[in-house]
Amino acid sequence: MSESAQPEPVLVERRGAVQWITINREARRNALNEEVVRTIDRAIAAAVEGGEVRAIVITGAGDKAFCSGADLAKGTKGFAFAVDFARPKHYIVDLFKRLQECTLPVIARVNGHVMAGGFGLLCACDMAIAADDIRIGTTESKIGLTPMMILPYMLRVLPPRKLQEMCITGEQFSAAEALEWGVLNYVVPRAELDAKLDWLLSRVTDKSPTAIRLGKQAFAAMRDMGLREALEYAQAMVPVMSSTEDAKEGLSAFQEKRAPNFTGN
């Protein structure tokens, strides 16, 4: 197959109110390179800016890997550990910042094994649903590295001692263990993965986009605050939140015993 005939490394598809982003490198176990990361970044930005998307799903092609992390093949274009010291801002950092600031719910559909940087991508999503036969690991120590770029997100999701063990040993753990530690929201038999995803999306996409947007902003801000500062922030946000059109519509719908018609304003 000629280079021009190569499949798109990332598939971006609208399914109703949901933007699907699929890493489409099944032969490379959906590994990340610069093109993949920047395409995901642009797709998230476009979904937010368009105003019609209510949720984003990130997944991998096939059923063997969600994402295996950085593409380590020799001569890989956009090698993840290459740094241009004249432009030190790394494209993976750009993506993680995009996910941090994304005002839409982002759900990881974990269809296969998750390794290294792929685990960082999973941790950066708001929610995650996985097939029960997947394995997760940060395997960098086996090749003389530590998962430096994804550590900030893993520290926010995993129990510290478990994370330290993972990073030092490079060993993998199961979906059941990830569920127990709070890494995953749901674990289901593989045949039920999409049905469970549809169920979760139905509970997300009918809610107020404004409430979700402000809620995600508050969640990100308060996580890095002390208790006193977080309470002051919450107090200041209450009148902002209650003055939105969605909040007024939600209250009216409740009083009138009807379904709300949220516009995202």
Side-chain angles (χ1 to χ4, degrees), residues 9-10 12 42 45 61 105 119 124 131 137 191 222 229 260 262:
V10 178
V12 181
R42 290 193 297 269
F119 186 41
M222 289 187 190
E229 186 183 7
F262 294 123

Side-chain angles (χ1 to χ4, degrees), residues 110-207:
V110 188
N111 56 301
H113 300 325
V114 188
M115 299 296 154
F119 186 41
L121 179 60
L122 184 158
C123 289
C125 295
D126 298 308
M127 292 170 272
I129 298 177
D132 59 3
D133 57 353
I134 63 107
R135 302 287 293 178
I136 298 175
T138 52
T139 54
E140 287 88 342
S141 65
K142 295 182 178 181
I143 58 169
L145 299 167
T146 194
M148 194 68 68
M149 203 77 81
I150 62 176
L151 196 53
Y153 269 109
M154 293 194 301
L155 282 165
R156 284 166 163 75
V157 175
L158 269 90
R161 288 191 180 274
K162 285 298 181 183
L163 176 57
Q164 189 76 286
E165 179 183 348
M166 282 179 57
C167 292
I168 291 172
T169 66
E171 293 173 359
Q172 301 173 18
F173 59 94
S174 68
E177 289 171 306
L179 180 66
E180 179 184 349
W181 300 337
V183 175
L184 301 171
N185 295 82
Y186 301 98
V187 171
V188 296
R190 179 169 292 278
E192 299 174 15
L193 180 61
D194 286 330
K196 191 66 174 180
L197 175 62
D198 288 343
W199 169 82
L200 181 58
L201 286 169
S202 71
R203 298 169 62 225
V204 169
T205 55
D206 67 339
K207 303 305 187 297

